[in-house]
Amino acid sequence: MIMRAPFLKITVPYLRFSAKEEKVAKGNKYKYICQKCEITGNVHEFFCNGCHYLKDPTLLKQFNYFELFGIDANYNTSKEELDKRYRKLQRGLHPDKYVNDSEEVQNLATEYSTYINMAYRVLQDDERRAKYLLKLKAGNILNEEVVIQDQDFLLKIMQLNEEIEDIADIAELKEKEKELGAEMKQLVNNIGEYFEKEKYPEIVDELKKVRFCKRALEQADKKERELVQ
């Protein structure tokens, strides 16, 4: 598949993915021809191999967020590795590196940076990463209106909410937050296991519980601010 796109002159060093990252990103499936130097290259590169011109960022948006960072589409992906890839992209594509270039180049760099930041925020957050990957794997099966069937879980969270509301001691509140944190960690672990087993309906159920836990943690945070005033 040959794709043509405009290129703009840049002043920063050439940046590209390693061979391993390129393979994960499936960059070899799509090709482009630089209109400036007519060198053929992979779409999943930011600059032309020949003249090092910055490419139109809309080409990269055909890749999902995992492919953008050159990592496997896995819920249990290493956040440390994600951070490393994120910093690598920002080092070469941050708008601050283009202050001496034309306004058009600066706008392209801003578009790159905005898209990279958005993808990073999604993959860094356990809930948002699960929702994003679930859509990639199973389509739009997440129905926000479906209620939680696990009544024991609901009663537990409701009881914690009531206890948090009545707490007047910071130390006691911290214990409740720790309990909620442990509950959240277990839910995240469950989601990871269900992705490995491709149990997508179970992931939907766990995501509902994650939302309840987050609300309880938000209530605890609000209560803490009240107590320290």
Side-chain angles (χ1 to χ4, degrees):
M1 178 178 180
I2 303 297
M3 304 186 70
R4 294 182 179 273
F7 292 82
L8 298 172
K9 188 65 177 176
I10 55 98
T11 58
V12 299
Y14 173 59
L15 171 72
R16 62 160 292 155
F17 284 89
S18 68
K20 180 180 178 181
E21 293 167 337
E22 186 79 28
K23 182 178 180 181
V24 173
K26 303 177 183 177
N28 292 325
K29 279 191 175 181
Y30 303 94
K31 302 291 182 180
Y32 69 83
I33 297 177
C34 178
Q35 294 182 347
K36 179 69 176 179
C37 66
E38 298 186 351
I39 293 293
T40 300
N42 295 323
V43 168
H44 204 278
E45 294 172 344
F46 299 101
F47 305 112
C48 171
N49 285 337
C51 59
H52 296 185
Y53 274 40
L54 183 65
K55 296 185 342 187
D56 185 339
T58 56
L59 285 175
L60 290 183
K61 293 183 180 181
Q62 66 186 294
F63 296 93
N64 66 54
Y65 293 165
F66 293 95
E67 293 171 338
L68 176 66
F69 289 104
I71 58 179
D72 292 318
N74 188 328
Y75 182 73
N76 293 320
T77 188
S78 167
K79 291 186 178 181
E80 290 76 13
E81 185 64 21
L82 176 62
D83 288 343
K84 179 180 177 181
R85 304 290 175 86
Y86 172 73
R87 290 193 297 270
K88 176 179 179 179
L89 294 184
Q90 288 291 31
R91 278 198 301 270
L93 296 165
H94 195 278
D96 289 349
K97 290 183 174 291
Y98 299 85
V99 293
N100 295 322
D101 285 286
S102 68
E103 182 178 354
E104 189 174 9
V105 170
Q106 292 178 38
N107 289 339
L108 280 181
T110 298
E111 187 174 350
Y112 266 119
S113 185
T114 300
Y115 186 64
I116 291 168
N117 285 333
M118 178 176 63
Y120 177 74
R121 286 194 296 269
V122 169
L123 297 188
Q124 267 292 103
D125 183 85
D126 293 328
E127 180 186 12
R128 296 178 71 185
R129 183 173 69 259
K131 289 182 176 180
Y132 183 78
L133 185 57
L134 184 64
K135 187 173 182 178
L136 289 179
K137 298 285 189 180
N140 296 312
I141 68 169
L142 182 61
N143 186 346
E144 298 290 349
E145 297 181 357
V146 174
V147 298
I148 296 176
Q149 301 298 322
D150 189 342
Q151 295 301 309
D152 290 337
F153 171 83
L154 286 175
L155 289 173
K156 181 178 182 179
I157 297 300
M158 289 174 61
Q159 182 177 350
L160 280 170
N161 280 329
E162 292 174 359
E163 293 171 353
I164 288 171
E165 186 64 31
D166 295 334
I167 286 177
D169 179 72
I170 287 288
E172 186 178 355
L173 179 60
K174 291 294 185 183
E175 288 300 316
K176 297 301 178 184
E177 289 178 330
K178 186 182 297 185
E179 188 175 346
L180 281 168
E183 189 72 38
M184 179 71 79
K185 183 177 180 179
Q186 184 59 55
L187 290 173
V188 169
N189 289 339
N190 292 345
I191 289 172
E193 292 179 5
Y194 289 144
F195 266 118
E196 290 179 358
K197 298 175 181 177
E198 299 183 350
K199 293 185 175 181
Y200 302 129
E202 285 83 350
I203 294 171
V204 172
D205 292 338
E206 296 302 277
L207 281 171
K208 298 292 184 181
K209 296 177 183 179
V210 166
R211 175 51 50 188
F212 269 79
C213 271
K214 278 193 170 182
R215 289 173 182 168
L217 285 167
E218 290 169 359
Q219 181 185 348
D221 183 64
K222 179 181 178 181
K223 186 67 175 183
E224 182 175 350
R225 292 197 301 271
E226 293 175 355
L227 292 177
V228 298
Q229 287 179 352

